[in-house]
Amino acid sequence: MTEKHIVLEDIDPVVFYGVGNAHLQMLKALYPKLRIMARGNVLRILGDEEQTEAFGRNVERLRSHVLQFNSLTAEDILDIVKGHRTRDEVPEGVVCYTTSGRPIKARSENQQLLVDAFAKHDMVFAVGPAGTGKTYLSIALAVKALKEKTAKRIILSRPAVEAGEKLGFLPGDMKDKIDPYLQPLYDALEDMLPQVKLQDMMEKHQIQIAPLAFMRGRTLNDAVVILDEAQNTTPAQMRMFLTRMGWNTKMIITGDMTQIDLPPKAKSGLVEALHILSGVEGIGVVHLGQADIVRHKLVTRIVNAYEAFDKEKAPI
C-alpha cells in the first residue's frame, strides 16, 4: 500500500473541495479503492501505487484548472478523470477570471490598447474618466502576471487624498486609518481572487497595498506596481514613485484629470509627468474616454454633462 501527500498550492481549497465537500465526495466515489483524506490544503491518499499515482496526476490537472479559471464543476472533474479535454486553453483576449468564473477582458478598443501596452512596455500611463475600467483592468493584468509567475508580487498604491471631504482623525491603528483610501483596490482584488487565497497572499506579502507615502526609499523588483488615482500626486511624489522601479518590474499609473482633489494652486504630478515623459522610449500612454465607460449607462451621461458644464464655464 502506498501513501501520498498532495499539497494544493496557489488555490483556495474551498473551491477545490466544493460546497459541503461535494467535489471531494465525488472524487472519493470515482476512486473507491483509495482512501482519501483532506486537511486544509493537503490531501492524504492511501492505496494501490498505480491508482495513487493516477489520482495524483488528475489532482494536479484539477488544481491547474482551478488556478486558471477560479472555478471547478462536477463536469470538469468527470472530464479530467475520464481523460477528456476540458477548457484548458483560455479564450483569446481573456486576461483572467473572476471568483465566479466570469472572464475579464478588454471591452473596448482603448481598453485593448491598455492590455497591449502592458505587454509591450515596462511603464504604462492609463488616463481617463471614471468608469473606463483603467484600475480594474490594470489589477487584472497584475493578477495574471502573478498567476503565470512572470512577477513575484503585486504592489498597489494610492495617494491618501480626500475627495472634497475632511474626514478628520480616523480611529484605529495605521491599517485602519489608510484602508478607507485603498478600499477600491481591495474590491477589485476580491473580485479576482478567492478570499482565503487573497488573505494568504497578503500575509506572505505577495500582494501589498499601501499609501504612496510608504513607497519612499524602496526599490521594487520582480513586481507589477500600480499607482491608482495618480492625478492626486504632487510632482515630488510622482517623481519619487517612478524612480522606485527595479529589475523585472512593470508599472501602471492610472488617473482621471477631471477628478483632481489637490488644493487649488497645487500642480498635479500626473499632468507634469505626462508632459515631461512624452516620447520617452519604453513608456506607453493610453487615453480612455466616454466610449470606454463600462459602468451603468448613466455614468456616461453624467460624465458628458459635467464635461459640457466645464466647457461652458471655462474662460474664453
Side-chain angles (χ1 to χ4, degrees):
M1 182 172 287
T2 301
E3 180 174 339
K4 185 179 182 69
H5 289 229
I6 302 173
V7 180
L8 303 173
E9 294 181 319
D10 299 328
I11 64 170
D12 183 358
V14 174
V15 178
F16 185 91
Y17 297 145
V19 178
N21 285 333
H23 296 160
L24 184 62
Q25 296 304 322
M26 184 177 181
L27 285 171
K28 290 180 178 180
L30 291 168
Y31 289 90
K33 295 182 180 180
L34 295 178
R35 188 179 177 193
I36 303 169
M37 294 156 284
R39 175 168 291 185
N41 68 335
V42 179
L43 286 172
R44 181 174 171 233
I45 304 99
L46 292 169
D48 172 79
E49 182 177 358
E50 186 176 343
Q51 278 210 355
T52 300
E53 290 301 320
F55 179 80
R57 289 192 294 271
N58 284 332
V59 166
E60 176 54 30
R61 290 185 64 194
L62 290 168
R63 187 197 69 82
S64 297
H65 184 94
V66 173
L67 179 64
Q68 192 168 41
F69 299 103
N70 273 332
S71 64
L72 186 66
T73 66
E75 290 77 13
D76 294 328
I77 295 172
L78 283 174
D79 284 340
I80 287 174
V81 171
K82 292 180 178 180
H84 298 164
R85 183 174 178 80
T86 61
R87 49 171 182 167
D88 292 328
E89 296 182 3
V90 174
E92 185 178 355
V94 173
V95 176
C96 66
Y97 287 81
T98 66
T99 53
S100 62
R102 178 177 58 84
I104 300 173
K105 58 182 180 180
R107 296 174 62 180
S108 69
E109 184 177 344
N110 287 328
Q111 285 189 0
Q112 187 58 51
L113 288 177
L114 174 55
V115 174
D116 295 340
F118 180 78
K120 184 178 179 181
H121 301 290
D122 288 338
M123 183 178 290
V124 179
F125 287 83
V127 183
T132 51
K134 53 190 182 295
T135 299
Y136 191 83
L137 189 56
S138 296
I139 292 177
L141 289 166
V143 169
K144 179 185 179 184
L146 193 61
K147 287 188 172 186
E148 293 179 350
K149 300 189 184 301
T150 56
K152 293 182 179 178
R153 54 184 174 156
I154 298 172
I155 300 172
L156 307 175
S157 186
R158 268 185 153 208
V161 177
E162 296 157 357
E165 299 178 75
K166 296 299 179 184
L167 302 180
F169 291 103
L170 295 172
D173 59 17
M174 181 60 72
K175 183 178 184 300
D176 294 328
K177 293 177 188 294
I178 64 176
D179 273 357
Y181 298 102
L182 307 174
Q183 192 57 49
L185 306 180
Y186 286 113
D187 291 343
L189 284 170
E190 287 171 356
D191 202 24
M192 299 173 202
L193 293 167
Q195 184 61 45
V196 174
K197 185 59 186 173
L198 175 58
Q199 188 65 35
D200 180 61
M201 285 180 161
M202 294 185 71
E203 288 175 358
K204 293 178 178 176
H205 301 292
Q206 290 176 288
I207 295 178
Q208 301 172 29
I209 305 179
L212 182 59
F214 287 21
M215 295 293 107
R216 185 173 298 279
R218 301 182 66 181
T219 300
L220 308 174
N221 297 317
D222 299 309
V224 177
V225 187
I226 298 173
L227 175 60
D228 191 35
E229 300 288 351
Q231 76 276 1
N232 288 327
T233 61
T234 65
Q237 286 176 324
M238 178 61 78
R239 184 171 184 173
M240 177 273 293
F241 175 80
L242 297 179
T243 54
R244 300 306 94 199
M245 192 173 195
W247 296 107
N248 190 37
T249 288
K250 283 179 175 277
M251 281 187 167
I252 306 178
I253 298 95
T254 72
D256 178 1
M257 300 299 198
T258 68
Q259 293 188 353
I260 297 175
D261 300 312
L262 295 169
K265 294 183 180 180
K267 188 173 183 180
S268 168
L270 178 60
V271 174
E272 183 180 89
L274 288 172
H275 173 71
I276 293 173
L277 302 177
S278 176
V280 173
E281 185 178 356
I283 297 177
V285 179
V286 178
H287 292 276
L288 299 103
Q290 291 92 332
D292 305 298
I293 293 176
V294 292
R295 291 182 186 168
H296 193 285
K297 59 185 178 182
L298 275 178
V299 174
T300 304
R301 298 172 191 170
I302 291 168
V303 170
N304 287 335
Y306 269 94
E307 284 194 352
F309 175 76
D310 289 341
K311 288 178 181 178
E312 287 178 4
K313 71 174 185 178
I316 300 174

